[in-house]
Amino acid sequence: MSSINRNLCGMKTDCLAYEGVPTPCYIVEEDLLRKNLTLIRDVAQRAGVEIILAFKAFALWKSFPVFREYIHHTTASSLNEARLAAEEFGSKAHTYSPAYTERDFGGILSCSSHITFNSMSQYARFYPSVEAYNRLRPDESVSCGIRVNPEYSEIEVELYDPCAPGSRFGVTASQLPEDLPPGIEGFHCHCHCESSSEALEHTLQHLEEKFGAWLPRLKWLNLGGGHLMTRKDYDTGHLVALLRALKTRYPNLEVILEPGSAFAWQTGPLVASVVDVVEDRGIRTAILDVSFTCHMPDCLEMPYQPAVRNAETLDADAVKKAVPEDNIYRLGGNSCLSGDFMGSWRFDHPLTPGDRIIFEDMIHYTTVKTNMFNGIAHPDIAMLHSDGILEYYRKFDYSDYRSRMC
């Protein structure tokens, strides 16, 4: 481990530039992570529900000892994630996948406490294996559910909308039999993405309208992820009231939420450096030692322009109208993808090679979605502990790229 001595940092900076940390590097700040975990645990206790961690957004298993102080379970969407839950988190996963395979399902069974099927055909194909498993291991029996589609969502970006017309996710009410088939003990519903408690209120109205006839017969209801309860403007009081009222209407239900982003929301940056500054037709681009397409793919997919510490975020076209004195730059990645660049930011000084660029809030979804296109190495991953010690979880090198290619 290496240390960042906070006492050596001036009061105005307080290590905000992460001086001495080689770039690129993702840095999770333990204090910020614990702040989120404390809020999430408080909501769960006040509402009488269980909130579990979705690995699809955050799966840095070396941090799991911190998580286990606050939560008990996780959610998986593949055999690898289910194994990570069982082997590294220490509890079996709540598992959902759009499609299970014969090759993986046996392993998923052994690593899961709950399994949700995406369709009635998947249920018919794999539930006999669950029955056989439960007969052999009654003390480790797996509870099964079906994913339902309320045909309602407030997500504006279709790429992230699981209830868009023609969705491949879940069963609509018209596709469900009046009597649920044997072994279906729960419903799973996911139709949020960094959403508010008001969106959940509207979702519950549609869910109960379409699936209310089945809800009193179930043991559990998983309301999926996308509940961004750690966002500064999120109304947690409203969330708690909604969930308590839901449990009052359906006292038979164990209610589960499985956010991903909420756990790691604003818990740390991606620290990068300027490598070069180029100009074409008056547009200045600072080329970095990180890549949007490799290390921050959601920025291009969503798309959204991330906040950069000590820089003003401008309209993306501002760089086209800027003069050198404005210190306005587009930021470019170090891959060969032509579109590996973003936006316009105003800095308080001209950028030169070696300058630090700190992308805020780059822990959730980034560390699980990075790739090695062009052979570009992953940034280091580190945890800044509460005592000021920076612990490196992983440093990547050529062997990581080589092993991935064959």
Side-chain angles (χ1 to χ4, degrees), residues 226-247:
H227 312 280
L228 196 49
M229 61 190 75
T230 50
R231 187 175 58 201
K232 189 174 182 180
D233 62 348
Y234 191 99
D235 189 345
T236 56
H238 184 228
L239 173 64
V240 169
L242 288 174
L243 296 173
R244 289 178 65 89
L246 177 66
K247 288 177 64 65

Side-chain angles (χ1 to χ4, degrees), residues 118-321:
N118 186 60
S119 66
M120 299 308 297
S121 56
Q122 281 268 295
Y123 159 82
R125 181 178 176 185
F126 289 105
Y127 183 67
S129 298
V130 180
E131 281 189 303
Y133 181 90
N134 287 347
R135 283 196 300 269
L136 290 173
R137 299 174 176 83
D139 293 338
E140 302 176 18
S141 61
V142 176
S143 179
C144 289
I146 196 82
R147 178 162 176 169
V148 296
N149 179 357
E151 302 174 81
Y152 175 82
S153 173
E154 298 182 14
I155 300 172
E156 296 180 357
V157 179
E158 188 167 344
L159 179 67
Y160 295 94
D161 184 359
C163 299
S167 173
R168 72 186 196 280
F169 296 129
V171 177
T172 61
S174 63
Q175 296 171 320
L176 269 182
E178 184 176 343
D179 294 320
L180 293 174
I184 297 299
E185 298 181 333
F187 279 173
H188 180 288
C189 173
H190 175 70
C191 53
H192 298 97
C193 178
E194 298 185 358
S195 302
S196 65
S197 60
E198 288 76 17
L200 175 60
E201 181 176 18
H202 303 154
T203 296
L204 288 175
Q205 293 168 357
H206 285 78
L207 183 68
E208 292 183 70
E209 176 185 339
K210 293 181 179 293
F211 296 97
W214 291 280
L215 293 179
R217 312 176 214 168
L218 301 174
K219 291 184 179 179
W220 51 268
L221 174 64
N222 186 326
L223 292 171
H227 312 280
L228 196 49
M229 61 190 75
T230 50
R231 187 175 58 201
K232 189 174 182 180
D233 62 348
Y234 191 99
D235 189 345
T236 56
H238 184 228
L239 173 64
V240 169
L242 288 174
L243 296 173
R244 289 178 65 89
L246 177 66
K247 288 177 64 65
T248 297
R249 294 193 296 277
Y250 304 99
N252 54 298
L253 289 179
E254 174 192 0
V255 177
I256 305 157
L257 281 70
E258 49 177 40
S261 295
F263 283 94
W265 181 256
Q266 295 185 341
T267 56
L270 172 58
V271 184
S273 294
V274 176
V275 177
D276 195 10
V277 178
V278 298
E279 183 172 339
D280 180 56
R281 301 184 187 185
I283 297 175
R284 291 192 296 172
T285 302
I287 301 178
L288 312 178
D289 58 359
V290 294
S291 161
F292 288 100
T293 190
C294 295
H295 308 137
M296 298 170 277
D298 278 350
C299 293
L300 300 181
E301 292 176 3
M302 190 71 167
Y304 75 96
Q305 189 170 330
V308 173
R309 191 169 300 182
N310 297 325
E312 179 186 359
T313 303
L314 304 175
D315 180 88
D317 289 333
V319 70
K320 299 177 182 179
K321 309 168 187 175

Side-chain angles (χ1 to χ4, degrees), residues 3-15 19:
S3 90
I4 292 179
N5 188 335
R6 294 184 184 277
N7 294 327
L8 296 180
C9 299
M11 291 298 293
K12 292 183 179 180
T13 59
D14 190 26
C15 298
E19 295 295 344

Side-chain angles (χ1 to χ4, degrees), residues 365-396:
Y365 278 102
T366 50
T367 52
V368 295
K369 294 181 74 171
T370 52
N371 61 75
M372 289 187 171
F373 171 60
N374 273 171
I376 295 172
H378 289 299
D380 298 335
I381 302 175
M383 169 77 84
L384 178 59
H385 291 291
S386 301
D387 59 5
I389 299 297
L390 187 73
E391 177 187 1
Y392 280 93
Y393 282 166
R394 182 76 181 272
K395 288 175 174 284
F396 297 88

